[in-house]
Amino acid sequence: MEKRTADNDRKYLNELAKKYPNRNAVLSEIINLNAILSLPKGTEHFMSDIHGEYEAFLHIRRNASGVIRKKIDMLFSDTVSYKERLELATLIYYPEEKLGELLPQIADKNNWYKITLMRLLEVCRLVSSKYTRSKVRKHLARTAAGYDYIIDELLNNDYDVTDKDRYYDNIINTIIDVGAAESFIVALASASKSLAVDHLHIVGDIFDRGPRADIILDALMKENSIDIQWGNHDVLWMGAAAGSLVCIATAINNSVTYKNLDVLEIGYGISLRPLSLFAEETYALSDVSAFMPKADFGGDCLNRDDNIMIARMNKAISVIQFKLEGQAIIRNADFCMQDRLLLDKIDIHEGTVTIGDRIYRLKDCDFPTVNPKTPYELTPYEQEVMQYFKNAFMRSEKLQRHIRFLYEKGKLYTVYNRNLLFHGCVPLEKNGDFMPLKAAEGRRGKALFDYCDSMARQGYFSKDDTAERARGSDFLWFLWCGKNSPLCGRTKITTFKRHLIENPTAWEEPRNPYYDYWDDYRTALRILSEFGLGEDGSHIVNGHMPVHTEKGEKPVKAGGRLIVIDGGFCKAYQSSTGIAGYTLIYNAQGMRISAHEQFNGMKNAVKNNADILSDTVIFEFSKDKIRVRSTDTGKIIAEKIEDLKRLLKEFKTGSIRESIF
């Protein structure tokens, strides 16, 4: 075994010698890599629970949770007015739109161009200062193509040298003279936004509730460096894209409930007409008051007839969903969700449903497609509708592209720079021990997460019409709403009861005990240790559960070891959370969490220079700047330096021959 390792090591060094063929090349790279280790660590940006709110997401991504504003104030607070600094920030966020608003009001455009270009160059120079020139060039090639060489020259201007100063001043004047100032401003703004954040973390729940998750995913696919931790709403759509009928029905139901039809019909080209025709034919004479769409969401301008039509669609797809959920539960006894089998507990004549040892009166018991003898079977018409949707979801090129991206960049959890990121919870027993899940063959803790990640991939990538694919797609549904699922974090979901039972005591969705312990310092350390992280400098970054600031809840828990960054991006939660979301920044100075005000749209932001950063708390400050050597990337670089030193030794002894030419 040792000889084989030595042989492999020699082969590796021989391959390394092809890239660094002599001592000068090796020494040059060692010097370069050591220099990189001494640079400040790049800025990490954490966002969670976006829920289709694309305008708010795009704005916070553009302002990097206040990073851009902070840089502008750092540079110009003593020389530029507050109003002008806001205007400059908005110009960076929305360059094309802001130029369209500003330019008609400016008399001396050439002077404004020159001042603005110089200020933008200062911002771009500052945000790029923590990177190597090589890395900056790569960013510029991606975000400022066509102007990347000129920007690179200007960013490396030495104003103390008179001849150079004239040279660069001439470049700026030429840009203005040839009519390229506006496009150059756009290029500088794009480069600054890209360089402000080195890596983006999305801690789950891109889909559902908000209007256009597809627009968010289009933007995420353009990110230079990103990882994603799947949320329960994400795995639901992953299951739908895999062809799971129960996931498809639930995803459609979520969209209909929140009058969020555009994401399906416009975003993914999936027509809802077959459902509307089925609903109109089947439920035209039914009372659908229990299935009216949410009143405080998109589509408020719809008239009463439109809302009734949506309610019929909601009832139609809800009944289909209840049936398909029942089938999944019956197929998978190890999900331990038999208490959610309710269609067979309905007494149509009495208008009641029996749940456990209690009998509840139903608000609606007109279910023409439910056969009391076989309540979980779809009717032929329902089967036809669902077959259409299965084909539509699996053939939507854009949806499949987005889901493949989620699989490529996503995991159930991520360990990155000593931080543990996951969306939901690490299931715990009431006594705080890690909870085993029967659905995961008794696994718990990290082993449970690894198993769930594997099953989620099996549900999408296994061959069609195989037992592995069927089990995997059912498991994606389990991750969405299953009992104590690490992404759901609840013992049950009460969709049926919320629709059909008046008594709110039936709606309770008990949380896993994890949420009773998530403010406990020792529990946080035990979870971090379970995932291979030590006590020093490690954190859990958590999404999923909104932080209700109006009730005094805090996003920083467990003595600073656990940070919750779901504060209400989704408009559904903002009335109860009191804010419009938390985001997290981790840079060379430490960690800070930002609470955001409700976003009133891009047009308002452009016209009034309205930002949405409301409050920032620095909860962990580093006296000495955190350097690249302390990061995961730094560890990789340090290992490469050691390899290069070994190669250098081989060159010196002649064991590996140098190539001089």
Side-chain angles (χ1 to χ4, degrees), residues 60 549 555 567 579-584 592-598 612-617:
I60 291 176
T549 57
I579 61 168
Y582 285 109
T583 55
L584 180 70
R592 63 178 176 84
I593 192 165
S594 299
H596 300 279
E597 300 168 352
Q598 186 171 350
I612 61 174
L613 185 67
S614 58
D615 190 29
T616 299
V617 177

Side-chain angles (χ1 to χ4, degrees), residues 16-84:
L16 197 62
K18 293 178 181 178
K19 187 172 183 180
Y20 306 100
N22 52 56
R23 275 179 271 188
N24 286 342
V26 172
L27 288 168
S28 177
E29 184 65 3
I30 289 174
I31 293 167
N32 175 55
L33 293 176
N34 267 309
I36 292 173
L37 289 177
S38 66
L39 288 170
K41 78 172 288 297
T43 297
E44 297 173 52
H45 193 189
F46 301 74
M47 304 174 75
S48 172
D49 296 86
I50 303 161
H51 285 299
E53 299 291 348
Y54 69 96
E55 282 202 336
F57 163 77
L58 291 174
H59 185 86
I60 291 176
R61 184 62 192 92
R62 284 168 172 163
N63 79 1
S65 288
V67 169
I68 297 291
R69 277 280 301 280
K70 184 179 178 183
K71 300 298 184 186
I72 290 172
D73 290 342
M74 189 184 302
L75 288 166
F76 306 119
S77 60
D78 295 332
T79 57
V80 178
S81 71
Y82 177 72
K83 180 182 177 182
E84 287 179 297

